[in-house]
Amino acid sequence: MVGSMSPHAARRRFPRWAKVILSVVAAIVICVLALFGVLWWNLEGGWDGIRRPAQADDRAVVRARADVREPLRATTAETDGALRATLGEPVTGTVDSCEPGQNNWKVHDGYTLRCTAGHVLLYTAAPQTPLDTVVAQTRHLADAGWRPEPEFDLEVYGDTASARFQRGPDHLRLRIEPPTEFSGLDIPDSYDGWNDHDVRAVEQAAGEADGILVTVVVTRTYFEDS
């Protein structure tokens, strides 16, 4: 038909400069979206900040808690055996705590939950026993396989002393102090997580003691989803 226009002729073509502009705009949009994604990812703490956080009553956590009881009890018994001969029978307690991890742009723990269990041993030296004598008695911890942690070897400050030790996956915190200096137990605790402590007898004994206190806290981390 005269005057008809072919489909190819009817199709309007973009000028080259328009195609260039569209390509540049598309590239800018993609870059902006990519930068926004990276920023959001970092603000949320990466994968650790957006994945479902573990809970203290999850099946895997409960199973790990049950599995740690016997080996931790055995380690504590060996520790007590090394100290009981010179320090006497301790008052005992147990601790269990789960601390949620922080994963954001400021802090990246790398886990959503960390759980630690432990045993507390409180020994009371005979009244009038000198501090250096009590400190010497705690050297028997080496007999149970405990080794000082780097930078946390036994140090004496006035009428108190403290140290940290390690034995395989287990950790030990030692504090030696007169009853007047006792300000609470140095135990794993979580203010915004989960705790199951039984230390009432230990705290009561510390408040009633009249000799130097030797507090031993043996702990092991039994769950960490890093």
Side-chain angles (χ1 to χ4, degrees), residues 3-14:
S4 64
M5 186 178 295
S6 67
H8 293 290
R11 185 181 304 163
R12 298 183 63 183
R13 295 183 179 181
F14 284 105

PDB file of all heavy atoms in Angstrom, residues 3-14:
ATOM      1  N   GLY A   3       2.222   4.692   0.785  1.00  0.00           N
ATOM      2  CA  GLY A   3       2.228   5.498   2.019  1.00  0.00           C
ATOM      3  C   GLY A   3       2.382   4.678   3.283  1.00  0.00           C
ATOM      4  O   GLY A   3       2.461   5.232   4.375  1.00  0.00           O
ATOM      5  N   SER A   4       2.347   3.341   3.171  1.00  0.00           N
ATOM      6  CA  SER A   4       2.551   2.504   4.374  1.00  0.00           C
ATOM      7  C   SER A   4       4.009   2.555   4.794  1.00  0.00           C
ATOM      8  O   SER A   4       4.901   2.782   3.977  1.00  0.00           O
ATOM      9  CB  SER A   4       2.118   1.062   4.066  1.00  0.00           C
ATOM     10  OG  SER A   4       2.935   0.513   3.058  1.00  0.00           O
ATOM     11  N   MET A   5       4.223   2.301   6.094  1.00  0.00           N
ATOM     12  CA  MET A   5       5.579   2.379   6.662  1.00  0.00           C
ATOM     13  C   MET A   5       5.958   1.009   7.190  1.00  0.00           C
ATOM     14  O   MET A   5       5.157   0.343   7.866  1.00  0.00           O
ATOM     15  CB  MET A   5       5.610   3.421   7.776  1.00  0.00           C
ATOM     16  CG  MET A   5       7.000   3.676   8.338  1.00  0.00           C
ATOM     17  SD  MET A   5       6.965   4.945   9.605  1.00  0.00           S
ATOM     18  CE  MET A   5       6.460   6.352   8.618  1.00  0.00           C
ATOM     19  N   SER A   6       7.128   0.591   6.881  1.00  0.00           N
ATOM     20  CA  SER A   6       7.582  -0.723   7.334  1.00  0.00           C
ATOM     21  C   SER A   6       7.750  -0.713   8.847  1.00  0.00           C
ATOM     22  O   SER A   6       7.980   0.333   9.467  1.00  0.00           O
ATOM     23  CB  SER A   6       8.915  -1.080   6.670  1.00  0.00           C
ATOM     24  OG  SER A   6       9.931  -0.216   7.128  1.00  0.00           O
ATOM     25  N   PRO A   7       7.640  -1.911   9.529  1.00  0.00           N
ATOM     26  CA  PRO A   7       7.819  -1.979  10.987  1.00  0.00           C
ATOM     27  C   PRO A   7       9.166  -1.450  11.431  1.00  0.00           C
ATOM     28  O   PRO A   7       9.292  -0.816  12.477  1.00  0.00           O
ATOM     29  CB  PRO A   7       7.679  -3.479  11.274  1.00  0.00           C
ATOM     30  CG  PRO A   7       6.862  -4.012  10.131  1.00  0.00           C
ATOM     31  CD  PRO A   7       7.254  -3.199   8.949  1.00  0.00           C
ATOM     32  N   HIS A   8      10.196  -1.708  10.643  1.00  0.00           N
ATOM     33  CA  HIS A   8      11.528  -1.236  11.029  1.00  0.00           C
ATOM     34  C   HIS A   8      11.606   0.279  10.977  1.00  0.00           C
ATOM     35  O   HIS A   8      12.247   0.924  11.792  1.00  0.00           O
ATOM     36  CB  HIS A   8      12.579  -1.840  10.106  1.00  0.00           C
ATOM     37  CG  HIS A   8      12.712  -3.319  10.267  1.00  0.00           C
ATOM     38  ND1 HIS A   8      13.260  -3.912  11.386  1.00  0.00           N
ATOM     39  CD2 HIS A   8      12.339  -4.324   9.437  1.00  0.00           C
ATOM     40  CE1 HIS A   8      13.222  -5.216  11.239  1.00  0.00           C
ATOM     41  NE2 HIS A   8      12.668  -5.494  10.068  1.00  0.00           N
ATOM     42  N   ALA A   9      10.921   0.839  10.005  1.00  0.00           N
ATOM     43  CA  ALA A   9      10.956   2.298   9.893  1.00  0.00           C
ATOM     44  C   ALA A   9      10.144   2.948  10.987  1.00  0.00           C
ATOM     45  O   ALA A   9      10.417   4.071  11.408  1.00  0.00           O
ATOM     46  CB  ALA A   9      10.441   2.717   8.517  1.00  0.00           C
ATOM     47  N   ALA A  10       9.044   2.218  11.424  1.00  0.00           N
ATOM     48  CA  ALA A  10       8.175   2.790  12.462  1.00  0.00           C
ATOM     49  C   ALA A  10       8.847   2.770  13.835  1.00  0.00           C
ATOM     50  O   ALA A  10       8.463   3.506  14.740  1.00  0.00           O
ATOM     51  CB  ALA A  10       6.853   2.016  12.507  1.00  0.00           C
ATOM     52  N   ARG A  11       9.774   1.887  14.060  1.00  0.00           N
ATOM     53  CA  ARG A  11      10.451   1.777  15.352  1.00  0.00           C
ATOM     54  C   ARG A  11      11.418   2.938  15.531  1.00  0.00           C
ATOM     55  O   ARG A  11      12.305   3.142  14.708  1.00  0.00           O
ATOM     56  CB  ARG A  11      11.206   0.463  15.432  1.00  0.00           C
ATOM     57  CG  ARG A  11      11.843   0.212  16.795  1.00  0.00           C
ATOM     58  CD  ARG A  11      12.600  -1.105  16.766  1.00  0.00           C
ATOM     59  NE  ARG A  11      11.699  -2.202  16.357  1.00  0.00           N
ATOM     60  CZ  ARG A  11      12.129  -3.381  15.932  1.00  0.00           C
ATOM     61  NH1 ARG A  11      13.424  -3.598  15.791  1.00  0.00           N
ATOM     62  NH2 ARG A  11      11.246  -4.323  15.606  1.00  0.00           N
ATOM     63  N   ARG A  12      11.209   3.681  16.591  1.00  0.00           N
ATOM     64  CA  ARG A  12      12.078   4.829  16.850  1.00  0.00           C
ATOM     65  C   ARG A  12      13.361   4.369  17.524  1.00  0.00           C
ATOM     66  O   ARG A  12      13.343   3.554  18.442  1.00  0.00           O
ATOM     67  CB  ARG A  12      11.363   5.838  17.743  1.00  0.00           C
ATOM     68  CG  ARG A  12      10.098   6.411  17.118  1.00  0.00           C
ATOM     69  CD  ARG A  12       9.478   7.446  18.016  1.00  0.00           C
ATOM     70  NE  ARG A  12      10.394   8.553  18.186  1.00  0.00           N
ATOM     71  CZ  ARG A  12      10.146   9.600  18.976  1.00  0.00           C
ATOM     72  NH1 ARG A  12       9.031   9.647  19.663  1.00  0.00           N
ATOM     73  NH2 ARG A  12      11.030  10.579  19.073  1.00  0.00           N
ATOM     74  N   ARG A  13      14.430   4.922  17.074  1.00  0.00           N
ATOM     75  CA  ARG A  13      15.720   4.561  17.637  1.00  0.00           C
ATOM     76  C   ARG A  13      16.229   5.673  18.544  1.00  0.00           C
ATOM     77  O   ARG A  13      16.100   6.854  18.209  1.00  0.00           O
ATOM     78  CB  ARG A  13      16.736   4.313  16.532  1.00  0.00           C
ATOM     79  CG  ARG A  13      16.418   3.119  15.664  1.00  0.00           C
ATOM     80  CD  ARG A  13      17.514   2.906  14.652  1.00  0.00           C
ATOM     81  NE  ARG A  13      17.256   1.746  13.810  1.00  0.00           N
ATOM     82  CZ  ARG A  13      18.071   1.332  12.866  1.00  0.00           C
ATOM     83  NH1 ARG A  13      19.186   2.029  12.619  1.00  0.00           N
ATOM     84  NH2 ARG A  13      17.783   0.252  12.162  1.00  0.00           N
ATOM     85  N   PHE A  14      16.805   5.214  19.734  1.00  0.00           N
ATOM     86  CA  PHE A  14      17.394   6.199  20.640  1.00  0.00           C
ATOM     87  C   PHE A  14      18.714   6.681  20.060  1.00  0.00           C
ATOM     88  O   PHE A  14      19.506   5.877  19.542  1.00  0.00           O
ATOM     89  CB  PHE A  14      17.657   5.590  22.014  1.00  0.00           C
ATOM     90  CG  PHE A  14      16.405   5.439  22.835  1.00  0.00           C
ATOM     91  CD1 PHE A  14      15.833   4.192  23.012  1.00  0.00           C
ATOM     92  CD2 PHE A  14      15.812   6.545  23.445  1.00  0.00           C
ATOM     93  CE1 PHE A  14      14.687   4.048  23.763  1.00  0.00           C
ATOM     94  CE2 PHE A  14      14.670   6.397  24.198  1.00  0.00           C
ATOM     95  CZ  PHE A  14      14.096   5.152  24.360  1.00  0.00           C
TER      96      PHE A  14
END
